[in-house]
């Protein structure tokens, strides 16, 4: 079973790499890539879109695909990195394969894929999106202000306008 999970994880990473290499030569902005990654991976892991976009908005002030100033390479004071602010010490465990800190910071697609996987895991574990987003934020299944913002269907929209 473990080898099957590793195989599937490596397969997903390979698909990410192949998809990023098959892009048209027109350069997309970080904000456009972020939008594409969120919509694709939220669907893959059954994370409600508003939660995925809310987490991105809360974590790195993401404001949608038209945001020309978006910086996905942020690092928090706690050490979380990249567009969805993943803690490097947990990344490899959730991914099922080794993930380097720099990869988390630089790869929008990997960071978002991993974020959606973590959110789905937390939801399955706690049975509530509020507790899942609270755990994403703190490591504990608590309903805090982060969780309330993350689960509010209108939060990201109010920040994008």
């Amino acid at each position: 079973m473990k080898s099957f999970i590793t195989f599937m994880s490596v397969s997903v990473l390979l698909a990410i790499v192949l998809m990023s290499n098959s892009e048209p030569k027109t350069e997309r902005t970080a904000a456009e890539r972020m939008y594409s990654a969120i919509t694709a991976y939220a669907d893959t892991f059954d994370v409600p879109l508003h939660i995925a976009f809310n987490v991105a908005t809360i974590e790195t002030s993401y404001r949608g695909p038209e945001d020309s100033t978006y910086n996905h390479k942020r690092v928090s004071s706690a050490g979380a990195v990249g567009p969805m602010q993943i803690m490097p010490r947990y990344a490899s465990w959730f991914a099922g394969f080794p993930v380097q800190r720099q990869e988390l910071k630089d790869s929008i697609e990997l960071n978002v894929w991993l974020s959606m996987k973590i959110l789905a895991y937390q939801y399955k574990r706690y049975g509530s999106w509020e507790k899942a987003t609270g755990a994403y934020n703190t490591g504990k299944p608590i309903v805090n202000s982060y969780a309330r913002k993350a689960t509010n269907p209108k939060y990201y929209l109010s920040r994008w306008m």
Side-chain angles (χ1 to χ4, degrees):
M1 181 66 172
K2 187 173 182 176
S3 62
F4 176 75
I5 293 170
T6 301
F7 170 76
M8 291 304 294
S9 297
V10 171
S11 298
V12 169
L13 183 60
L14 181 59
I16 291 169
V17 170
L18 291 175
M19 284 175 38
S20 65
N21 288 339
S22 67
E23 292 293 320
K25 296 299 176 193
T26 310
E27 282 294 316
R28 294 186 306 153
T29 67
E32 291 168 333
R33 289 176 49 216
M34 184 75 166
Y35 186 86
S36 294
I38 290 171
T39 55
Y41 298 126
D43 183 55
T44 298
F45 290 102
D46 293 324
V47 174
L49 267 179
H50 74 277
I51 291 174
F53 283 119
N54 285 346
V55 170
T57 300
I58 294 166
E59 295 293 353
T60 56
S61 301
Y62 179 67
R63 290 187 169 146
E66 303 301 319
D67 184 359
S68 63
T69 63
Y70 181 64
N71 176 12
H72 69 282
K73 295 185 178 193
R74 296 182 184 195
V75 179
S76 76
S77 59
V81 299
M84 303 298 274
Q85 294 291 281
I86 306 289
M87 293 299 283
R89 67 178 169 256
Y90 303 119
S92 295
W93 186 86
F94 277 105
F97 54 85
V99 177
Q100 299 299 313
R101 181 182 186 279
Q102 197 64 42
E103 291 175 290
L104 282 177
K105 185 177 175 187
D106 294 340
S107 175
I108 291 171
E109 292 75 15
L110 174 63
N111 195 286
V112 173
W113 174 79
L114 194 50
S115 173
M116 296 303 108
K117 187 172 183 179
I118 293 168
L119 284 165
Y121 170 86
Q122 300 292 22
Y123 177 74
K124 184 176 180 181
R125 187 171 181 194
Y126 300 115
S128 153
W129 283 112
E130 283 187 322
K131 287 181 181 178
T133 54
Y136 183 92
N137 175 240
T138 67
K140 298 175 183 159
I142 61 171
V143 179
N144 56 7
S145 63
Y146 182 101
R148 285 187 287 278
K149 288 177 190 174
T151 56
N152 178 343
K154 296 181 182 176
Y155 180 78
Y156 77 93
L157 292 174
S158 70
R159 301 300 184 265
W160 290 17
M161 303 303 156

